[in-house]
Amino acid sequence: MTVILEREEQLTSAPTTSGWHRVCPLDELEPAWGEAALIDGVQVALFRLDADNVYAVAQQDPATLANVMARGITGSRGSRPTIASPLHKEVYDLQTGECYSNPRLRLPAFKTRMVDGFIEVEL
């Protein structure tokens, strides 16, 4: 995601609360499209599903251990937003990380919030 390089000064000079990390401006994420970010050494996949809802999960696919989740397919199960792994199509809840197709798998999910037009992720 090039926004981190383009706006490095804005991102690093902004104060954050302990545990929360400023990632990028909301308008740099395309709706229904995933982006990968490296946050404090952790690979995270970000998904903006509509104007105000951004979800963050681990970039690593729990089934294969490949860092590919940002390239997954977004969708829903009822009212729950989901992401399907691009490799084996395992479907995960974006809010909880629960795997609908294999209960033994779990995708780490992280809290997100908006502060002054920027997305912040809690690790």
Side-chain angles (χ1 to χ4, degrees):
M1 191 156 88
T2 58
V3 66
I4 291 175
L5 297 176
E6 294 169 2
R7 299 189 183 177
E8 183 177 6
E9 185 177 311
Q10 283 180 313
L11 297 173
T12 57
S13 64
T16 58
T17 308
S18 178
W20 288 95
H21 302 271
R22 185 165 280 191
V23 181
C24 67
L26 176 65
D27 62 4
E28 294 290 332
L29 293 181
E30 293 182 47
W33 190 258
E35 290 288 350
L38 184 62
I39 305 170
D40 200 24
V42 178
Q43 290 191 39
V44 175
L46 298 169
F47 299 93
R48 178 181 179 187
L49 298 187
D50 56 37
D52 299 318
N53 291 311
V54 176
Y55 298 93
V57 295
Q59 171 71 336
Q60 189 175 66
D61 179 343
T64 65
L65 304 182
N67 290 310
V68 297
M69 293 307 292
R71 297 296 162 241
I73 301 164
T74 59
S76 64
R77 289 275 171 109
S79 64
R80 306 293 296 184
T82 62
I83 183 68
S85 168
L87 298 178
H88 294 289
K89 307 302 185 254
E90 299 286 355
V91 178
Y92 299 91
D93 185 301
L94 278 171
Q95 294 175 320
T96 66
E98 172 189 4
C99 182
Y100 290 110
S101 47
N102 184 345
R104 291 177 294 158
L105 298 175
R106 185 165 208 81
L107 181 64
F110 307 102
K111 292 180 182 178
T112 63
R113 68 182 182 188
M114 293 291 300
V115 177
D116 299 326
F118 285 84
I119 298 165
E120 292 187 354
V121 176
E122 182 179 37
L123 296 182

Short mmCIF file of all heavy atoms in Angstrom, two decimals, residues 6 8-9 12 21-22 25 33-35 37 40 42 51 54 59 61 68 74-75 78 80 85 104 112 116 120-122:
data_model
loop_
_atom_site.label_atom_id
_atom_site.label_comp_id
_atom_site.label_asym_id
_atom_site.label_seq_id
_atom_site.Cartn_x
_atom_site.Cartn_y
_atom_site.Cartn_z
N GLU A 6 3.83 7.62 0.89
CA GLU A 6 3.47 8.95 0.45
C GLU A 6 3.16 9.89 1.61
O GLU A 6 3.41 11.08 1.55
CB GLU A 6 2.27 8.90 -0.48
CG GLU A 6 2.56 8.20 -1.79
CD GLU A 6 1.31 7.92 -2.57
OE1 GLU A 6 0.20 8.30 -2.13
OE2 GLU A 6 1.42 7.29 -3.63
N GLU A 8 4.05 9.39 4.99
CA GLU A 8 4.77 8.91 6.18
C GLU A 8 4.81 9.95 7.29
O GLU A 8 4.59 9.65 8.45
CB GLU A 8 6.18 8.49 5.80
CG GLU A 8 6.94 7.93 6.97
CD GLU A 8 8.32 7.45 6.58
OE1 GLU A 8 8.74 7.65 5.44
OE2 GLU A 8 8.99 6.89 7.46
N GLU A 9 5.04 11.21 6.95
CA GLU A 9 5.13 12.24 7.97
C GLU A 9 3.80 12.39 8.71
O GLU A 9 3.77 12.48 9.93
CB GLU A 9 5.54 13.57 7.35
CG GLU A 9 5.76 14.65 8.39
CD GLU A 9 6.24 15.94 7.76
OE1 GLU A 9 7.18 15.89 6.96
OE2 GLU A 9 5.65 16.98 8.09
N THR A 12 3.28 9.18 11.01
CA THR A 12 4.16 8.98 12.16
C THR A 12 4.12 10.12 13.15
O THR A 12 4.43 9.94 14.32
CB THR A 12 5.61 8.76 11.71
OG1 THR A 12 6.03 9.88 10.94
CG2 THR A 12 5.75 7.49 10.91
N HIS A 21 -2.80 1.90 16.36
CA HIS A 21 -1.81 2.30 15.37
C HIS A 21 -2.49 2.95 14.18
O HIS A 21 -3.39 2.36 13.58
CB HIS A 21 -1.00 1.09 14.90
CG HIS A 21 -0.32 0.38 16.02
ND1 HIS A 21 0.94 0.71 16.43
CD2 HIS A 21 -0.74 -0.62 16.84
CE1 HIS A 21 1.29 -0.07 17.45
NE2 HIS A 21 0.29 -0.88 17.71
N ARG A 22 -2.05 4.15 13.83
CA ARG A 22 -2.59 4.85 12.67
C ARG A 22 -2.02 4.19 11.42
O ARG A 22 -0.82 4.03 11.29
CB ARG A 22 -2.22 6.33 12.73
CG ARG A 22 -2.85 7.13 11.60
CD ARG A 22 -2.78 8.58 11.88
NE ARG A 22 -3.85 8.94 12.80
CZ ARG A 22 -4.20 10.18 13.09
NH1 ARG A 22 -3.56 11.19 12.55
NH2 ARG A 22 -5.19 10.42 13.92
N PRO A 25 -5.24 7.02 5.58
CA PRO A 25 -6.51 7.74 5.48
C PRO A 25 -7.59 6.81 4.91
O PRO A 25 -7.30 5.96 4.07
CB PRO A 25 -6.22 8.86 4.47
CG PRO A 25 -4.74 8.93 4.36
CD PRO A 25 -4.21 7.58 4.71
N TRP A 33 -12.49 -3.94 -1.38
CA TRP A 33 -11.17 -4.35 -1.85
C TRP A 33 -10.23 -4.44 -0.66
O TRP A 33 -10.23 -3.56 0.19
CB TRP A 33 -10.66 -3.33 -2.86
CG TRP A 33 -9.43 -3.78 -3.58
CD1 TRP A 33 -8.16 -3.38 -3.31
CD2 TRP A 33 -9.34 -4.70 -4.65
NE1 TRP A 33 -7.28 -3.99 -4.16
CE2 TRP A 33 -7.98 -4.81 -5.01
CE3 TRP A 33 -10.28 -5.45 -5.35
CZ2 TRP A 33 -7.54 -5.65 -6.03
CZ3 TRP A 33 -9.84 -6.27 -6.37
CH2 TRP A 33 -8.49 -6.37 -6.70
N GLY A 34 -9.42 -5.46 -0.58
CA GLY A 34 -8.49 -5.62 0.52
C GLY A 34 -7.15 -4.97 0.24
O GLY A 34 -6.73 -4.87 -0.91
N GLU A 35 -6.50 -4.53 1.30
CA GLU A 35 -5.14 -3.98 1.23
C GLU A 35 -4.34 -4.56 2.39
O GLU A 35 -4.87 -4.72 3.48
CB GLU A 35 -5.14 -2.46 1.35
CG GLU A 35 -5.69 -1.73 0.16
CD GLU A 35 -4.79 -1.78 -1.07
OE1 GLU A 35 -3.62 -2.21 -0.97
OE2 GLU A 35 -5.27 -1.37 -2.14
N ALA A 37 -1.17 -4.26 5.09
CA ALA A 37 -0.38 -3.25 5.79
C ALA A 37 0.51 -3.95 6.81
O ALA A 37 0.12 -4.97 7.39
CB ALA A 37 -1.29 -2.25 6.48
N ASP A 40 3.50 -2.35 13.08
CA ASP A 40 4.34 -2.74 14.21
C ASP A 40 4.84 -4.19 14.06
O ASP A 40 4.82 -4.97 15.00
CB ASP A 40 3.57 -2.55 15.52
CG ASP A 40 4.49 -2.46 16.73
OD1 ASP A 40 5.67 -2.09 16.57
OD2 ASP A 40 4.03 -2.77 17.84
N VAL A 42 3.46 -6.60 12.32
CA VAL A 42 2.38 -7.56 12.09
C VAL A 42 1.74 -7.30 10.74
O VAL A 42 1.35 -6.17 10.44
CB VAL A 42 1.30 -7.45 13.20
CG1 VAL A 42 0.15 -8.41 12.95
CG2 VAL A 42 1.92 -7.70 14.57
N ALA A 51 -18.92 2.97 3.15
CA ALA A 51 -18.40 4.31 3.45
C ALA A 51 -17.74 4.40 4.82
O ALA A 51 -16.77 5.14 4.99
CB ALA A 51 -19.52 5.33 3.34
N VAL A 54 -14.62 -0.42 8.27
CA VAL A 54 -13.33 -1.01 7.90
C VAL A 54 -13.05 -2.13 8.89
O VAL A 54 -13.21 -1.98 10.10
CB VAL A 54 -12.20 0.04 7.95
CG1 VAL A 54 -10.85 -0.61 7.67
CG2 VAL A 54 -12.48 1.16 6.96
N GLN A 59 -3.14 -11.07 7.98
CA GLN A 59 -2.87 -11.30 6.55
C GLN A 59 -2.61 -12.79 6.28
O GLN A 59 -2.83 -13.27 5.18
CB GLN A 59 -1.67 -10.43 6.13
CG GLN A 59 -1.10 -10.68 4.77
CD GLN A 59 -1.97 -10.23 3.62
OE1 GLN A 59 -3.18 -10.11 3.71
NE2 GLN A 59 -1.34 -10.02 2.48
N ASP A 61 -3.24 -16.60 6.08
CA ASP A 61 -4.33 -17.58 5.96
C ASP A 61 -4.08 -18.71 6.96
O ASP A 61 -3.04 -19.36 6.92
CB ASP A 61 -4.32 -18.13 4.53
CG ASP A 61 -5.38 -19.18 4.26
OD1 ASP A 61 -5.94 -19.76 5.21
OD2 ASP A 61 -5.63 -19.44 3.07
N VAL A 68 -1.93 -13.99 2.35
CA VAL A 68 -2.74 -13.71 1.16
C VAL A 68 -4.14 -13.17 1.45
O VAL A 68 -4.89 -12.93 0.52
CB VAL A 68 -2.89 -14.97 0.29
CG1 VAL A 68 -1.54 -15.45 -0.23
CG2 VAL A 68 -3.57 -16.09 1.08
N THR A 74 -14.56 -10.66 -0.49
CA THR A 74 -15.49 -10.21 0.56
C THR A 74 -16.91 -10.65 0.22
O THR A 74 -17.26 -10.84 -0.93
CB THR A 74 -15.45 -8.68 0.73
OG1 THR A 74 -15.79 -8.06 -0.51
CG2 THR A 74 -14.08 -8.22 1.19
N GLY A 75 -17.68 -10.81 1.27
CA GLY A 75 -19.08 -11.22 1.11
C GLY A 75 -19.79 -11.10 2.43
O GLY A 75 -19.40 -10.31 3.29
N GLY A 78 -25.63 -13.87 6.00
CA GLY A 78 -26.68 -13.11 6.66
C GLY A 78 -26.22 -11.67 6.76
O GLY A 78 -25.83 -11.06 5.78
N ARG A 80 -23.59 -10.77 8.60
CA ARG A 80 -22.19 -10.80 9.03
C ARG A 80 -21.25 -10.65 7.83
O ARG A 80 -21.33 -11.41 6.88
CB ARG A 80 -21.87 -12.12 9.73
CG ARG A 80 -22.79 -12.48 10.89
CD ARG A 80 -22.64 -11.56 12.04
NE ARG A 80 -21.29 -11.67 12.61
CZ ARG A 80 -20.90 -11.02 13.69
NH1 ARG A 80 -21.74 -10.21 14.31
NH2 ARG A 80 -19.69 -11.18 14.14
N SER A 85 -10.80 -16.97 1.85
CA SER A 85 -9.39 -17.08 1.49
C SER A 85 -9.27 -17.27 -0.02
O SER A 85 -10.01 -18.04 -0.62
CB SER A 85 -8.77 -18.27 2.21
OG SER A 85 -7.50 -18.55 1.66
N ARG A 104 -12.27 -25.61 13.14
CA ARG A 104 -10.95 -25.73 13.76
C ARG A 104 -10.02 -24.57 13.41
O ARG A 104 -9.00 -24.38 14.05
CB ARG A 104 -10.29 -27.05 13.37
CG ARG A 104 -11.00 -28.26 13.98
CD ARG A 104 -10.38 -29.54 13.51
NE ARG A 104 -10.65 -29.64 12.06
CZ ARG A 104 -9.95 -30.37 11.20
NH1 ARG A 104 -8.94 -31.08 11.62
NH2 ARG A 104 -10.26 -30.41 9.93
N THR A 112 -10.93 -1.83 14.77
CA THR A 112 -10.57 -0.65 13.99
C THR A 112 -11.41 0.53 14.45
O THR A 112 -12.47 0.36 15.05
CB THR A 112 -10.81 -0.85 12.48
OG1 THR A 112 -12.20 -1.06 12.26
CG2 THR A 112 -10.01 -2.01 11.94
N ASP A 116 -10.07 11.38 12.92
CA ASP A 116 -9.70 12.48 12.01
C ASP A 116 -9.50 12.02 10.57
O ASP A 116 -8.57 12.47 9.90
CB ASP A 116 -8.45 13.20 12.52
CG ASP A 116 -8.63 13.82 13.89
OD1 ASP A 116 -9.76 14.27 14.18
OD2 ASP A 116 -7.66 13.84 14.66
N GLU A 120 -7.38 3.55 12.27
CA GLU A 120 -6.46 3.05 13.30
C GLU A 120 -6.85 1.62 13.62
O GLU A 120 -8.03 1.27 13.63
CB GLU A 120 -6.51 3.93 14.54
CG GLU A 120 -5.95 5.31 14.32
CD GLU A 120 -5.85 6.14 15.57
OE1 GLU A 120 -6.32 5.71 16.65
OE2 GLU A 120 -5.27 7.25 15.49
N VAL A 121 -5.83 0.80 13.89
CA VAL A 121 -6.03 -0.62 14.20
C VAL A 121 -5.42 -0.88 15.57
O VAL A 121 -4.31 -0.43 15.86
CB VAL A 121 -5.37 -1.51 13.14
CG1 VAL A 121 -5.49 -2.98 13.51
CG2 VAL A 121 -5.99 -1.25 11.76
N GLU A 122 -6.14 -1.64 16.39
CA GLU A 122 -5.62 -2.02 17.70
C GLU A 122 -5.03 -3.41 17.61
O GLU A 122 -5.69 -4.35 17.21
CB GLU A 122 -6.73 -2.01 18.76
CG GLU A 122 -6.22 -2.34 20.15
CD GLU A 122 -7.31 -2.32 21.21
OE1 GLU A 122 -8.44 -2.74 20.91
OE2 GLU A 122 -7.01 -1.90 22.33
#
